[in-house]
Amino acid sequence: MDDLLKIIKTRRSIRRYKEKYVPDELLEKIIEAGRWSPSGDNGQPWRFIIVRDPETKKALGKTAAEGSGRRFTAEYFTGRMQERFEELKDPVKKDKAFKKLTSGEVSSFLVDAPVIIVVCAKLNVWDVPYDSAMATQNMLLMAHALGLGSCVVVAPVSDMRDDIKVMKLLKIPYGYKVFAPVAIGYPDESPNPRPRLSLEEITFYEEFDRRRKK
Amino acid sequence: MIDSLYFRDIVSSLENVLYYERGGGSFFRATMIGTNFIDRKRIEGNTSEEVFENCVKEMRENNIVKDASYKKDKDGTLFTFEIENCMHLPIEAKLKEEGVPTYICPPTNMILWKIREIMDLAVEIADITVNQDSGRCIIRVVVFKQK
């Protein structure tokens, strides 16, 4: 059990990868982990597209950069980004973070990922987002356990205007949706863990916001 | 009738459902709401301003809005649209009262859809402010300039 928690706690979102081939056998193990996820009514809506083609990755990366860039530029201009980073006091780091977000760079790395597994889902089941999210998380953990890095990149599909481009690019038929592209590769960075809310902050007893008596 | 109370209830309920399901992400799922209408029209223009004017002209003629204007900042990154007496306004006002943040502006969606298509600009709604008392909405829009 401790080993599982260790895998969960040491997983990171990796955005820089080595130029090293990821064998099909490892990708199959990752998809196998997704395949064994729970799903409502055992609907198993997930479908997975393995993308290695540089042109397809380039197109996904461009759409991702635009999606992120638009969204974060808007966030910056309204001052919401400055509020979000209020805790970050170092002006150099803050400026770097703003540039990374508003330039779309935070998502454009998709083009350089050795492999992208695009998680898709059929719509005629009851619990599409829940099922897809559970499958994706299983896959992230399996990738990490295999020594691979991964990152879910929703930027190319969060906005409907981009979503329809990706559907067309990957020839996804009506009746299915793209849940999220997942970048996979050997990590070429080891980011620090992001801050987490404490257990006390997120755990209630019997009803919302009721804390355990001390 | 398109502006009946019944129709408003139906649309606001649908918006409420989407917000409940997707939270803040609803904003990005709703960016094409309204674009069917403008796709049925022949919109042209050589500048963003012309595309804006031509979209607004169609909306005025079809009683979707009474009028709309825009301002832009000096480097052309931030646009501010002011939309007057929009058919959609009572729905957003109702949702605002219910505590749902405004995340859809069909007239702006139409304009941005056409600016993106004709001018190849990456445009995004930054925020929407609904003012039912004045009958005007202020929508701030940014242009993302990809390096």
Side-chain angles (χ1 to χ4, degrees), chain B residues 43-56:
Chain B
I43 302 292
E44 292 175 337
N46 295 312
T47 62
S48 300
E49 290 80 0
E50 284 180 17
V51 174
F52 178 96
E53 292 298 348
N54 291 332
C55 288
V56 171

Side-chain angles (χ1 to χ4, degrees), chain A:
Chain A
M1 283 302 156
D2 285 348
D3 288 345
L4 177 59
L5 190 58
K6 189 179 172 193
I7 288 170
I8 292 169
K9 288 172 91 166
T10 55
R11 183 208 57 81
R12 300 283 180 273
S13 292
I14 300 297
R15 294 182 170 83
R16 197 178 304 147
Y17 300 96
K18 289 179 181 157
E19 285 182 31
K20 184 178 170 187
Y21 187 80
V22 180
D24 282 344
E25 303 85 81
L26 296 189
L27 297 178
E28 280 166 21
K29 282 188 177 167
I30 292 170
I31 290 173
E32 181 70 349
R35 190 171 77 95
W36 279 96
S37 305
S39 61
D41 204 29
N42 197 26
Q44 305 175 62
W46 39 70
R47 301 291 185 271
F48 308 101
I49 305 174
I50 297 174
V51 177
R52 291 187 190 268
D53 177 62
E55 287 306 311
T56 308
K57 287 193 294 177
K58 192 174 166 186
L60 285 169
K62 187 174 184 299
T63 309
E66 193 191 303
S68 273
R70 278 195 329 258
R71 184 197 300 195
F72 290 123
T73 301
E75 195 185 345
Y76 180 81
F77 268 88
T78 55
R80 294 194 301 269
M81 185 177 287
Q82 290 82 339
E83 279 172 29
R84 187 150 69 91
F85 283 84
E86 210 170 27
E87 297 294 309
L88 185 58
K89 301 295 178 199
D90 183 336
V92 177
K93 279 187 183 170
K94 195 180 270 194
D95 190 51
K96 198 177 161 191
F98 288 172
K99 279 187 181 145
K100 190 174 180 179
L101 292 169
T102 57
S103 66
E105 189 194 325
V106 68
S107 303
S108 63
F109 72 91
L110 206 49
V111 65
D112 297 319
V115 185
I116 301 168
I117 299 178
V118 181
V119 181
C120 308
K122 66 173 179 173
L123 297 173
N124 66 342
V125 299
W126 289 348
D127 303 304
V128 178
Y130 312 104
D131 299 343
S132 310
M134 289 189 282
T136 304
Q137 173 67 356
N138 268 11
M139 293 162 70
L140 302 182
L141 294 177
M142 178 53 90
H144 180 45
L146 293 168
L148 291 161
S150 65
C151 187
V152 176
V153 187
V154 294
V157 292
S158 55
D159 189 309
M160 276 306 296
R161 296 170 297 176
D162 301 323
D163 202 332
I164 56 173
K165 278 193 203 171
V166 173
M167 295 281 286
K168 196 173 168 188
L169 175 74
L170 300 174
K171 299 187 172 67
I172 296 166
Y174 186 76
Y176 289 82
K177 68 170 278 142
V178 183
F179 180 70
V182 180
I184 305 275
Y186 288 96
D188 197 20
E189 62 174 355
S190 44
N192 290 323
R194 300 293 306 277
R196 301 285 158 179
L197 298 171
S198 69
L199 278 175
E200 289 73 24
E201 284 173 287
I202 59 174
T203 310
F204 309 132
Y205 294 87
E206 308 305 338
E207 61 184 46
F208 195 86
D209 221 16
R210 185 190 283 179
R211 314 282 164 166
R212 180 181 270 166
K213 284 178 188 160
K214 287 180 181 165

Side-chain angles (χ1 to χ4, degrees), chain B residues 45-93:
Chain B
N46 295 312
T47 62
S48 300
E49 290 80 0
E50 284 180 17
V51 174
F52 178 96
E53 292 298 348
N54 291 332
C55 288
V56 171
K57 182 171 173 282
E58 286 292 346
M59 288 189 262
R60 260 197 315 257
E61 285 174 5
N62 287 276
N63 297 318
I64 293 171
V65 301
K66 186 179 171 196
D67 206 357
S69 60
Y70 72 90
K71 284 186 287 194
K72 69 175 175 182
D73 70 350
K74 62 176 187 289
D75 66 356
T77 304
L78 182 68
F79 285 73
T80 305
F81 296 174
E82 185 172 301
I83 295 176
E84 192 183 337
N85 286 340
C86 170
M87 182 187 280
H88 195 75
L89 176 61
I91 295 166
E92 290 309 323

